[in-house]
Amino acid sequence: MDSLLIYGSVQGNPLYNCTGKTPEQWTSLLGTRRTFLGIALIIFGVFIEIIYVPCLGAIYKRGLLKHSCYKIMFLLGLTDMIATCGWVSSCALTLLLVINRISDILAPTISELIFSNNHTWIVAMIPILYTLSVITFTPAIIFNSTVMAWIGDPMIYENRSKEYYNPIQNYNNIIFISGTIFFYAAYCFFVAKKQMGYKVSSGRNVFIQSALIWCINCSSALVYSSMMFIKPNEYIVLFGELAWSLVHGCPAIVYLTMNRTIRQEVIGWFRKNSAVRDSYKHTSEQRSRTIS
């Protein structure tokens, strides 16, 4: 984004100047039509956007934002709804959610110090500022229909891939993978050593939800990190792209299927709306009979 300030426009940047060919020529030369995959991803994306709205609404309406983990989950949901610029933010917030859950179980005193009251919002500013800095000061990551992945090189010029290299994205994936593995391993180690159980089932449930979200994020990050060193199989790249889509969609699905509080709140809205419609219909019928 800083190049927009330097050059005044995308086309003004020599590395991203596409005026040498028409859009149709670029599509024919470098693009690959994948109709079925495109339609499937569009349908999935629209579906996720629709179900995310009541999920986030339920978190807010039920007063769940008083809990630190739900504050992070709420921010993670907002990030997922603008996923085109939210990969690094999603990774950072997911890692923060892991730290929050583990510290709450293994080190409640530290968790209280860092995540109590409005402290969570302050701590969450770290991933947000990190995301803004990546967006502003690093080369853009662009989706390529032929490779079926988000890559830095727009393939406008030959033999200039190094000029589009974005090390932050690679470091982000490596740190995210190693960090989450470390924290989950530490958690399992201490639980096994101390034979410590969960105090309440709700805490275990939220932890399982966090673990599922992490597994999807980690799968996508692993594929993209492996692309730094080897040329992966086409189906592995496709799996990475599908995992990337799930990264920004699975939290909403997990919330609706595994979080009883959110699920009951959302179902209650539909039941209430149905009851209102039935009541309105019944009242209208009575008025019609009275008039007749």
Side-chain angles (χ1 to χ4, degrees):
M1 185 176 290
D2 58 336
S3 62
L4 292 177
L5 300 177
I6 297 173
Y7 296 101
S9 66
V10 175
Q11 296 296 346
N13 188 338
L15 290 177
Y16 296 93
N17 192 320
C18 303
T19 56
K21 296 180 178 63
T22 64
E24 292 76 15
Q25 289 174 323
W26 282 118
T27 301
S28 176
L29 180 65
L30 299 176
T32 301
R33 187 181 298 274
R34 303 183 189 275
T35 305
F36 176 77
L37 179 61
I39 293 174
L41 291 178
I42 289 174
I43 293 174
F44 176 76
V46 172
F47 170 72
I48 292 302
E49 292 289 331
I50 292 174
I51 67 174
Y52 240 133
V53 173
C55 285
L56 298 182
I59 291 176
Y60 176 78
K61 189 172 182 180
R62 289 295 291 266
L64 297 176
L65 288 177
K66 64 183 178 182
H67 302 291
S68 59
C69 61
Y70 281 99
K71 289 184 177 75
I72 301 172
M73 291 162 67
F74 189 84
L75 288 175
L76 184 60
L78 293 178
T79 298
D80 289 336
M81 294 184 74
I82 52 171
T84 52
C85 62
W87 167 248
V88 293
S89 180
S90 179
C91 289
L93 286 171
T94 300
L95 184 59
L96 182 62
L97 182 60
V98 172
I99 296 173
N100 170 262
R101 289 294 78 211
I102 293 176
S103 63
D104 191 42
I105 295 169
L106 299 180
T109 303
I110 298 177
S111 178
E112 180 70 17
L113 176 64
I114 299 176
F115 295 106
S116 63
N117 300 322
N118 291 324
H119 293 180
T120 305
W121 297 119
I122 298 174
V123 174
M125 287 300 297
I126 298 175
I128 294 174
L129 293 174
Y130 165 62
T131 301
L132 292 176
S133 64
V134 171
I135 294 174
T136 305
F137 300 110
T138 65
I141 302 296
I142 304 168
F143 182 77
N144 185 286
S145 60
T146 300
V147 181
M148 290 188 299
W150 294 82
I151 59 177
D153 187 359
M155 298 184 178
I156 300 174
Y157 307 106
E158 295 183 3
N159 303 319
R160 298 185 66 176
S161 296
K162 293 182 178 180
E163 297 182 54
Y164 300 95
Y165 178 62
N166 188 337
I168 299 298
Q169 292 283 348
N170 296 329
Y171 295 147
N172 174 87
N173 294 344
I174 293 173
I175 293 174
F176 169 72
I177 295 170
S178 58
T180 47
I181 290 176
F182 169 79
F183 283 114
Y184 272 108
Y187 166 79
C188 294
F189 172 78
F190 283 110
V191 168
K193 185 177 180 180
K194 298 181 179 180
Q195 296 182 346
M196 182 184 68
Y198 289 93
K199 295 181 180 179
V200 291
S201 59
S202 59
R204 177 176 57 189
N205 193 19
V206 173
F207 185 85
I208 293 174
Q209 294 170 45
S210 304
L212 287 174
I213 294 171
W214 164 76
C215 287
I216 299 297
N217 281 45
C218 202
S219 298
S220 181
L222 278 170
V223 172
Y224 275 90
S225 296
S226 66
M227 292 172 63
M228 295 168 50
F229 309 102
I230 60 174
K231 183 179 180 180
N233 182 277
E234 178 181 359
Y235 295 103
I236 295 179
V237 177
L238 177 59
F239 169 77
E241 174 56 26
L242 294 177
W244 178 87
S245 300
L246 286 173
V247 162
H248 302 290
C250 73
I253 298 174
V254 169
Y255 299 160
L256 279 180
T257 56
M258 298 190 63
N259 191 300
R260 182 181 301 176
T261 304
I262 295 177
R263 183 173 65 251
Q264 289 179 343
E265 179 69 19
V266 173
I267 293 176
W269 290 350
F270 286 102
R271 287 179 178 174
K272 187 182 298 183
N273 290 336
S274 177
V276 171
R277 287 195 299 268
D278 292 342
S279 176
Y280 177 78
K281 182 179 180 181
H282 179 70
T283 304
S284 299
E285 290 177 350
Q286 285 184 332
R287 288 178 180 176
S288 299
R289 290 173 184 174
T290 302
I291 294 174
S292 61

